[in-house]
Amino acid sequence: MQHLLITNPNSFMPRFLYLLLGVMIGSSKGYAQETPLTLQHAWIQARTHNYSLRLATLQVERAAYLAQPGMAGLRPTLDAFAGTNNSVNNTRQTLANGSTIENDAAAAFGATAGLDFRWVVWQGNAARFRYQQLQGQQRSQFLLRDQREIDLAADLTTAWLQAARAQSLLSVQDSNIARSQLRLELARARYEGGQWSKTEVLQAEVDLKADERALLQVKQAHRQVIVQLADQMSVRAQDSLWLLPALMQPDTTLQLEPLWEQAQATQPSLLLARNEESVAELALREAQARRLPRLEFNAGPVLNYVNNPASFVTQNRNLAFTYGLNMSLPLYQGNQLKQQQDIRRLEKNLRTLEAEAQELAVYNRLMAAWQGYQLGLEQLRLERNVVASARENQDLAEERYRLGRGTQLDLRQAQVALVQAQAAELDARFQVLLFQTELLRLAGTLPQALEMGW
């Protein structure tokens, strides 16, 4: 931006407005784009493209194929079988009258074909318990995917909030540079008018360079968080920066008890721990059922064909339909059945303890996030009051400086205090939004909140 030389101190305010407008227009060109990247749009992109979420979805599909009645043994089996056998026989038979019959290298041929239908009618409902286990494992995959979705939503929200905060800090630094440029123009004008010394101009130039250095640091941080945001969205980071909406205001209406009730009903980690306990209980009942009698039904047609020249019956063809019921009772298998039952009982107790521990952990994390949220709101209210006071002090110092009643040091201190107050307010707002994100994540409602635009 070109410097505006002020030759008449009385024209300070019109030139101030013109310069400030020019700085705002010039600074906005570097971050302009057609459509701002809202948090809702970023979530849509992440939910569609994120690789870990897509992999979790494939695991859910795989579990759906496994959770079928046939995989658990609830459905009968039908096998087709066929086979042949060939032999070369050398026989010598002595009859009662003393004569003999000899066959050398007599080729014999046999063939068998049929269908085998088998169905385990009953074994203490072991197959049904196994099928329920597969369904429980499928539900676990659903819950794991839901948990991954919630974790992705939290990571994405954190990255987006960091980018929005960095962009807001850019605006703060742009406004600060506009004030420093204006102060430098005034110092030059008064120096050329013989009112100030060269020292005042040099000091204003130093302050302006310091503000520009701070702006570069914020720009560097902004670019880094934009790359992190692109990584969460599973899209390629662009050299041009995205324009994000301003950092939103936090929701101050959250309540602890409704959040905990939602967590108990929808939090995937809690539901997963309880589901794993149920699956372990079904595995124990299956192990217990395997010690009961097993009743199996089998049926099927069988065709046998035998061609043996060396036999009295040289050809034999038989077509039969076989069926029957078989019952077996496991009496002793090296104590394996009892050991499996004891192991699964221990696994069930383990899953019960894990579910209790998970519920306690979620509650304590929710309580910690709630306390941070409450304190953060108090801190945010305080920082807003500080910003209001700092802005008023800066305006007064600027007016005194314009009228020649204040020193450049006083104005610089007020200017720095305003920038620090605005940055502190942004940090406080950012922290509250992080606690709000954690509360919604623990409640299990963060993805739905993002879909609704938060």
Side-chain angles (χ1 to χ4, degrees):
M1 174 173 293
Q2 297 179 352
H3 294 297
L4 300 177
L5 182 60
I6 301 178
T7 56
N8 183 5
N10 295 328
S11 63
F12 175 79
M13 289 306 296
R15 291 182 180 274
F16 170 76
L17 296 176
Y18 178 78
L19 180 62
L20 182 59
L21 179 61
V23 171
M24 293 175 62
I25 295 176
S27 63
S28 64
K29 290 181 180 179
Y31 313 105
Q33 64 185 35
E34 294 182 359
T35 304
L37 180 63
T38 63
L39 180 55
Q40 183 181 20
H41 180 67
W43 170 240
I44 293 174
Q45 292 290 324
R47 189 179 55 185
T48 304
H49 300 293
N50 186 268
Y51 286 102
S52 61
L53 190 58
R54 290 162 64 184
L55 290 172
T57 302
L58 291 178
Q59 292 292 341
V60 171
E61 295 180 4
R62 177 179 178 273
Y65 282 108
L66 293 175
Q68 299 296 328
M71 300 295 291
L74 280 175
R75 292 177 178 173
T77 62
L78 179 63
D79 298 326
F81 61 91
T84 63
N85 56 80
N86 296 273
S87 63
V88 178
N89 299 315
N90 295 312
T91 62
R92 181 177 180 178
Q93 297 176 338
T94 301
L95 303 181
N97 59 8
S99 63
T100 61
I101 301 176
E102 294 185 2
N103 289 297
D104 295 332
F109 171 79
T112 302
L115 295 176
D116 184 21
F117 176 85
R118 292 182 179 274
W119 183 26
V120 178
V121 180
W122 189 79
Q123 192 186 11
N125 290 326
R128 184 170 64 86
F129 293 144
R130 186 161 55 250
Y131 175 54
Q132 291 175 352
Q133 287 180 64
L134 293 176
Q135 290 181 315
Q137 292 170 4
Q138 180 187 11
R139 177 169 170 76
S140 293
Q141 291 298 327
F142 271 111
L143 293 172
L144 286 172
R145 185 198 176 280
D146 291 343
Q147 183 62 54
R148 181 66 196 105
E149 185 179 50
I150 288 180
D151 292 340
L152 173 61
D155 295 339
L156 175 77
T157 302
T158 301
W160 189 93
L161 292 175
Q162 290 174 339
R165 179 185 61 170
Q167 184 171 285
S168 299
L169 286 174
L170 284 177
S171 300
V172 171
Q173 291 297 333
D174 283 342
S175 300
N176 186 42
I177 288 177
R179 297 188 188 96
S180 297
Q181 287 176 331
L182 188 60
R183 184 158 55 88
L184 176 59
E185 295 296 337
L186 181 59
R188 287 175 175 172
R190 290 183 174 177
Y191 169 70
E192 292 177 0
Q195 300 179 11
W196 281 359
S197 65
K198 183 67 174 179
T199 304
E200 300 290 338
V201 177
L202 294 176
Q203 183 60 48
E205 290 179 349
V206 170
D207 294 339
L208 177 59
K209 295 300 181 183
D211 294 337
E212 291 175 346
R213 185 185 305 112
L215 178 62
L216 288 176
Q217 294 175 352
V218 175
K219 283 184 177 181
Q220 178 65 25
H222 186 214
R223 291 181 180 274
Q224 293 178 354
V225 295
I226 284 294
V227 173
Q228 296 175 5
L229 178 59
D231 185 63
Q232 293 297 328
M233 294 167 59
S234 292
V235 299
R236 290 181 179 269
Q238 303 296 327
D239 184 60
S240 59
L241 296 180
W242 292 326
L243 174 63
L244 276 66
L247 190 64
M248 73 281 287
Q249 298 297 331
D251 184 4
T252 60
T253 63
L254 298 179
Q255 299 293 329
L256 179 60
E257 290 302 323
L259 288 172
W260 174 238
E261 292 177 359
Q262 290 175 340
Q264 291 179 304
T266 61
Q267 221 292 326
S269 63
L270 282 179
L271 299 179
L272 178 62
R274 296 168 185 166
N275 186 69
E276 290 296 313
E277 181 183 6
S278 300
V279 172
E281 172 66 24
L282 291 170
L284 173 60
R285 297 176 68 179
E286 180 194 357
Q288 293 171 340
R290 287 186 177 277
R291 304 186 67 178
L292 298 176
R294 173 190 177 100
L295 182 63
E296 181 179 22
F297 172 76
N298 66 287
V302 178
L303 174 63
N304 292 310
Y305 175 78
V306 177
N307 183 5
N308 188 359
S311 174
F312 283 105
V313 181
T314 58
Q315 286 189 349
N316 181 25
R317 184 173 59 187
N318 179 37
L319 176 62
F321 182 82
T322 63
Y323 59 93
L325 286 174
N326 298 317
M327 187 180 72
S328 61
L329 177 64
L331 298 178
Y332 180 73
Q333 296 181 2
N335 212 28
Q336 293 182 14
L337 294 178
K338 182 179 182 304
Q339 290 175 352
Q340 290 178 0
Q341 184 175 333
D342 294 339
I343 290 173
R344 294 188 178 184
R345 182 179 291 107
L346 290 175
E347 290 179 350
K348 191 264 181 182
N349 295 337
L350 177 64
R351 297 295 178 264
T352 300
L353 289 177
E354 288 178 347
E356 295 176 359
Q358 184 65 25
E359 182 173 350
L360 179 62
V362 170
Y363 181 81
N364 287 338
R365 289 200 297 267
L366 184 68
M367 181 61 69
W370 173 255
Q371 293 174 350
Y373 170 76
Q374 291 290 91
L375 293 176
L377 288 177
E378 295 182 9
Q379 181 71 23
L380 180 58
R381 288 190 288 267
L382 175 63
E383 297 299 342
R384 287 173 176 171
N385 294 331
V386 173
V387 169
S389 299
R391 181 176 287 109
E392 183 179 1
N393 182 49
Q394 199 275 339
D395 292 341
L396 292 175
E398 193 173 75
E399 180 66 17
R400 289 174 57 84
Y401 182 75
R402 186 181 68 83
L403 297 175
R405 298 177 182 176
T407 65
Q408 188 170 192
L409 178 60
D410 294 336
L411 179 57
R412 178 62 180 175
Q413 290 178 345
Q415 181 181 348
V416 172
L418 177 58
V419 172
Q420 292 176 345
Q422 290 173 328
E425 191 274 339
L426 284 173
D427 287 339
R429 198 191 322 170
F430 172 73
Q431 292 298 325
V432 175
L433 289 170
L434 286 184
F435 283 121
Q436 179 178 331
T437 300
E438 180 66 8
L439 287 173
L440 296 180
R441 185 185 74 84
L442 293 172
T445 59
L446 182 58
Q448 292 78 8
L450 296 183
E451 291 175 4
M452 296 176 61
W454 198 350

